[in-house]
Amino acid sequence: MNKRSRFILILAVLAVCFVFLWPSISWYALTPKDQQTLALGSLEKIKDYTTERARLGAENFISSARNNPDDALDPSFKWLEKAAKKAYKAQKKSVPATMTLGSVLSAFSGVEELKSVLESHYRDEILEAKNRSESSVKLGLDLSGGMNIIVHADLNAAVEAQKKKDSASVDNVDQFKKDAMAQAIETLTGRIDKFGLSSPVVRQQGEDRIYIEIPGAADGESVNTLIMGKGILNFRQVDMDATEKFENYYRQHGAATFNSDGKLADPSIIPEDCEVFGQYTKDAYGLDERIGYLVVKKDIIVDGQHVQSAQVSSNPTNGQIEVDFAFDSEGADLFADYTKANVGKYMAIVSDDKVKSNARINEAIPGGHVALSGGFSVEEAQNIQKVLQTAWLSVPLEVESQQVIGASLGEQAIHQGIMALSVGLIAVLIFMLIYYLGAGFNAVVAQILNMYIMFSVLSAFNLTLTLSSIAGMILTVGMSVDANVIIFERIKEELRAGKSRAAAIASGFDNAFWAIMDSNITTFIAAMFLSQLGTGSIQGFAVSLAIGVCSSVFTALFVSRLMFDFATDVMKKKNISISWRRVK
């Protein structure tokens, strides 16, 4: 490969690496700490924050605009000026030449529209930060602090329990287990996120285990209670009169209706035999979105454990999408008796203290087979089906292991890891500069670019940085100079043989190539086996080592070679500064 091709390749690699690394740079270096805290919170917390901030912002803006309508718009609200101009154009009105507080306020039809614009802006800011966080290098629990839990799902017990209820529903055991695990993971994700924690990592590990990672401080007992508790799904009667009164009260008092733990600040606003739950639907991202509140009776009509099956279908008469589900014999009797006595009333499906559906009872429903309709879209019907499946695909869960890492320990680990990496890197670089002089500078540049490429790959694949990963990097720092040492020593041999600078460099790299490749290929193979067969810290160490091996070979053979050739062909150097002893 000639110098031009090598130079273009290096530039392309560095540019791609910068693109990969940019989300991590923007998250850790450019995102304010307060915005990071908000972005790492649950989506419900983000929604509550943006709603309240938009409300206060709208009130303050309206007050300022009415008191000083001719004042200029603050520079920090330039984005609101753009929204106001867009609103004027949408209303087919002429846009004022100078946008003052009064003219901006006049662009919006009312307080609610202004609040909506403000909320949209604040929400986009935080969600963009959240996306940057998800695309950046993650800090493992040993660095950031938090909780690591492995849960065993007893799929065989779930299969046996389902066979006792309805053997026909488990004809395909493998598919049943797959569905059961998917529902268990979805249920656990909802429970833990509802607990108000930072966005959790919940993923399947192997065939019957669930790996849960909760960053930040969390109470172990409370989290275990959420994990071990069965999916609470039941059918409740809705008190529409109490719901209407509550909505009127909520419109007047807003967030003050609830205290810090989500309970009613004044329980007397609803009947004693009732409780308030949020009513949710799935948004475009597949997340629960609260669309209001419902007051339901505390007494349960039918418990979810009586649900045997659920599926989405289309009504052959009117073509409407329906959710068809069936009860066992006991549940069928309870449901038939209730619907016969309460025709015209409303009934809610409650799952984990969230109302997932609210339907009117049009007639008595005997036989235990129910067709739930209500103008659903296919997506809405599928979401209700999943809620119902959570009840009958019940999987016994058992916590196998749990590890809690304190935040202070994480900060200490970060400091110690960075210090170890920095000291190791600096020591190696100083040695290379002292022992190999000018050629050592090439090794220094190669090492710095090596670390740059390693971090960019971690960012590109959203890998997690742990103490073991840092250990792999430190080992890579020591190993990667081996390639430079082999090359430099071969160049020195060629110089002793009387070759010119250009010939010695070419022969040195050519003769060192297979020695470098042999040693690094064997290391890479060992790292691959460790990453596949190992778990936890061993896997993290192996992945970072494998990345380091690949990047160190690239920097040694391409970057270092280009620097030698540049000095030879562009700077017209005849000799090589490669040893404190004379070699030529």
Side-chain angles (χ1 to χ4, degrees), residues 517-538:
M517 294 303 295
D518 288 347
S519 62
N520 283 280
I521 287 173
T522 53
T523 304
F524 183 81
I525 291 173
M528 286 294 96
F529 273 99
L530 282 175
S531 67
Q532 293 299 315
L533 301 178
T535 58
S537 57
I538 295 176

Side-chain angles (χ1 to χ4, degrees), residues 357-373:
S357 177
N358 178 31
R360 187 177 185 274
I361 303 172
N362 295 318
E363 58 184 356
I365 306 174
H369 292 274
V370 183
L372 190 64
S373 61

Side-chain angles (χ1 to χ4, degrees), residues 491-529:
I491 291 175
K492 287 162 67 174
E493 289 179 6
E494 301 298 331
L495 290 172
R496 291 190 189 100
K499 291 185 178 181
S500 66
R501 173 190 170 97
I505 290 172
S507 297
F509 274 91
D510 291 341
N511 294 331
F513 178 81
W514 283 113
I516 293 170
M517 294 303 295
D518 288 347
S519 62
N520 283 280
I521 287 173
T522 53
T523 304
F524 183 81
I525 291 173
M528 286 294 96
F529 273 99

Side-chain angles (χ1 to χ4, degrees), residues 165 306 308 326-336 367-368:
K165 293 174 65 176
H306 296 293
Q308 285 190 319
F327 293 106
D328 59 19
S329 58
E330 182 181 353
D333 293 339
L334 292 171
F335 198 79

Side-chain angles (χ1 to χ4, degrees), residues 392-418:
W392 60 274
L393 288 178
S394 55
V395 183
L397 303 176
E398 178 184 0
V399 175
E400 278 194 345
S401 67
Q402 177 177 305
Q403 184 180 15
V404 178
I405 306 295
S408 60
L409 179 60
E411 292 176 3
Q412 183 182 2
I414 293 174
H415 176 72
Q416 291 175 342
I418 292 176

